[in-house]
Amino acid sequence: MEETQRQKKIAGIIQKDLADILQRAATDGGLRGTLISVSKVSVTVDLSLAKVYVSIFPNKDAKELLAGIKASQVTIRHELALRTKNQLRRVPELVFYLDDSLEYIDRIEQSLKGEENPIENRDLLDKRKKS
């Protein structure tokens, strides 16, 4: 089903503000070399749930950082509510997922540069996880 204009608008607002909140929290928490970006937000039709796809670079600490983000979800949602109080009546529940598309693309590029060609032998690359 196609997203409505309202869903797209709310997703855009949430994406912009969450990216700022998460990056500021990372730098304030002492993670100066870490880049956290929100790659995609999709909001349900009833605007009660937002799926947030987070991309973290460098990738080695991604799982721990995602666990930390999930643990402080209430604080993040409160900060988002303060920022969007003039645009949204209710802030949707936030569900965070790790966006591994950059890592997937990097593995494809590394395989193409090497002798192993994933186009000829598809078993070289892992199957992509659907979220």
Side-chain angles (χ1 to χ4, degrees), residues 40-58:
K40 183 181 177 191
V41 175
S42 62
V43 183
T44 57
V45 178
D46 63 351
L47 308 177
S48 65
L49 183 73
K51 293 181 180 178
V52 181
Y53 295 90
V54 180
S55 180
I56 300 170
F57 184 80

Side-chain angles (χ1 to χ4, degrees), residues 6-18 41-43:
R6 180 87 176 134
Q7 284 174 286
K8 290 178 185 175
K9 181 180 178 185
I10 289 174
I13 291 169
I14 291 172
Q15 182 176 2
K16 179 181 163 291
D17 286 335
L18 269 181
V41 175
S42 62
V43 183

